[in-house]
């Protein structure tokens, strides 16, 4: 993995589809856009805390932004995933990028895949464990996913509830520090909890399983063997749908691969994105 001293990190707002949108930018080189997930307390700074600077140091310009209804970005009128895809496209257009890679976490993997399918400027696609993008799989896999989705929907903001939720998000329990719990809790209250409640009633995103065979972007799938909501079976089914894909399975790793296996994640992603083909 090539390394260089990244340029200073910048945090700012820009307008995307009329919404005040928070963004972190770091580094220089080929642009990489990071898409966080949709669990309570998700945000760019939190989900990608262990990855922004390492990827910038590897020679990329990293953009990590808060999606509508998350973090410091405005709440939208439309809380569907489909709208978050629309906003993601507007965000990329606002950056005036000519070419870029996309990296998704969880639901962010679905958004990243939609961008890769629909925007010819996309280079490569990377996603961590993503139940929104992966095929449903067996009845056992579906039951696992439904139970986890119900737990997320029923979250009521409190430090204790967020601690319990985060203990399920990560395999490495030593990473569940009080600082992490409090920061994630702070991102789950106020306008963001109001947005979470609004998301309960929206239609699910359209399935794109059959479209994935048309994906031109070389793809890297990074899966956690110990994910509580998305089975390995579903990851392999997704891998089989995508041409020219690679699949990497981590043991002792749950839903946030980019946290549980941060060092390996950063090295694998940087090397994958840096390859010429």
């Amino acid at each position: 993995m090539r390394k260089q001293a990244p340029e200073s990190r910048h945090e700012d707002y820009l307008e995307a589809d009329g919404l005040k949108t928070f963004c972190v930018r770091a580094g220089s080189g080929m642009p990489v856009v990071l898409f966080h997930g949709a669990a309570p307390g998700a945000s760019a700074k939190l989900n990608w805390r262990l990855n922004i600077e390492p990827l910038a140091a590897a020679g990329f310009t990293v953009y990590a932004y808060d999606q509508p209804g998350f973090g410091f970005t405005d709440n939208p009128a439309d809380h569907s995933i489909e709208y978050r895809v629309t906003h993601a496209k507007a965000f990329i257009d606002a950056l005036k990028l000519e070419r870029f890679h996309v990296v998704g976490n969880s639901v962010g993997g679905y958004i990243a895949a939609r961008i890769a399918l629909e925007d010819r400027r996309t280079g490569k696609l990377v996603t961590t464990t993503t139940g929104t993008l992966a095929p449903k799989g067996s009845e056992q896999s579906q039951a696992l996913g439904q139970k986890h989705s119900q737990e997320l929907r029923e979250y009521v903001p409190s430090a204790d509830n967020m601690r319990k939720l985060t203990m399920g998000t990560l395999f490495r329990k030593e990473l569940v520090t009080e600082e992490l719990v409090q920061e994630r809790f702070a991102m789950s209250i106020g306008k963001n909890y109001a947005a979470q409640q609004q998301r309960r009633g929206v239609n699910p995103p359209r399935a794109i399983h059959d479209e994935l065979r048309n994906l031109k972007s070389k793809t890297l799938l990074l899966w956690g063997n110990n994910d509580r909501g998305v089975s390995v079976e579903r990851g392999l089914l997704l891998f089989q749908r995508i041409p020219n894909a690679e699949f990497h399975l981590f043991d002792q790793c749950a839903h946030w691969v980019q946290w549980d296996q941060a060092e390996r994640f950063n090295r694998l992603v940087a090397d994958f994105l840096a390859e010429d083909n």
Side-chain angles (χ1 to χ4, degrees):
M1 186 171 81
R2 55 200 172 93
K3 295 183 178 180
Q4 65 184 51
E7 294 181 356
S8 59
R9 170 174 168 148
H10 301 278
E11 299 181 3
D12 205 351
Y13 292 87
L14 56 78
E15 184 175 299
D17 199 44
L19 296 182
K20 186 179 179 182
T21 302
F22 177 79
C23 177
V24 179
R25 179 178 67 82
S28 61
M30 177 71 170
V32 178
V33 184
L34 308 182
F35 302 87
H36 63 69
S43 73
K45 291 176 65 175
L46 192 150
N47 287 53
W48 303 111
R49 174 183 292 173
L50 306 183
N51 319 110
I52 293 173
E53 273 76 16
L55 291 177
F60 301 98
T61 303
V62 180
Y63 297 95
Y65 76 102
D66 288 338
Q67 296 169 32
F70 294 88
F72 300 107
T73 291
D74 286 346
N75 283 6
D78 182 349
H79 290 271
S80 67
I81 294 179
E82 188 64 35
Y83 175 71
R84 298 209 296 277
V85 173
T86 297
H87 177 269
K89 294 176 180 178
F91 172 75
I92 291 170
D93 287 342
L95 295 176
K96 303 185 186 305
L97 303 180
E98 296 181 0
R99 187 75 171 166
F100 54 88
H101 301 305
V102 290
V103 179
N105 164 225
S106 190
V107 177
Y110 175 89
I111 298 173
R114 285 284 302 275
I115 299 294
L117 280 166
E118 299 169 19
D119 193 324
R120 293 183 178 181
R121 295 173 295 174
T122 308
K124 295 178 182 177
L125 164 65
V126 177
T127 184
T128 68
T129 315
T130 169
T132 312
L133 181 61
K136 291 182 179 180
S138 65
E139 290 185 3
Q140 182 178 3
S141 288
Q142 292 180 51
L144 185 72
Q146 291 166 1
K147 180 181 179 182
H148 183 61
S149 295
Q150 186 68 23
E151 291 174 357
L152 297 181
R153 284 194 298 269
E154 293 178 350
Y155 169 81
V156 176
S158 76
D160 286 343
N161 287 344
M162 183 53 76
R163 186 176 298 104
K164 180 180 179 181
L165 183 66
T166 308
M167 290 290 282
T169 302
L170 296 169
F171 179 88
R172 295 177 56 195
K173 306 311 178 191
E174 70 272 16
L175 294 175
V176 187
T177 63
E178 194 60 26
E179 178 187 6
L180 173 59
V181 171
Q182 290 299 327
E183 181 178 351
R184 193 177 178 188
F185 166 65
M187 290 290 99
S188 74
I189 61 177
K191 77 167 190 68
N192 293 335
Y193 182 56
Q196 176 193 323
Q197 292 177 302
Q198 290 295 316
R199 288 193 294 272
R200 291 174 180 171
V202 302
N203 293 326
R206 66 178 177 85
I208 59 172
H209 305 141
D210 291 339
E211 299 174 43
L212 292 174
R213 64 176 180 270
N214 301 320
L215 191 61
K216 304 300 182 183
S217 299
K218 188 174 180 181
T219 301
L220 174 63
L221 305 176
L222 300 167
W223 227 257
N225 188 48
N226 310 99
D227 194 297
R228 295 175 61 249
V230 190
S231 66
V232 176
E233 174 203 14
R234 297 181 67 192
L236 290 171
L237 289 172
L238 178 60
F239 166 71
Q240 291 167 354
R241 296 287 183 112
I242 302 175
N244 202 24
E246 299 179 21
F247 183 87
H248 194 107
L249 178 65
F250 293 94
D251 195 20
Q252 300 187 2
C253 181
H255 196 60
W256 281 6
V257 179
Q258 77 277 14
W259 270 71
D260 271 329
Q261 297 287 342
E263 184 176 350
R264 287 285 289 147
F265 173 93
N266 294 331
R267 184 179 301 114
L268 284 168
V269 171
D271 287 349
F272 175 77
L273 297 181
E275 292 174 355
D276 292 334
N277 56 357

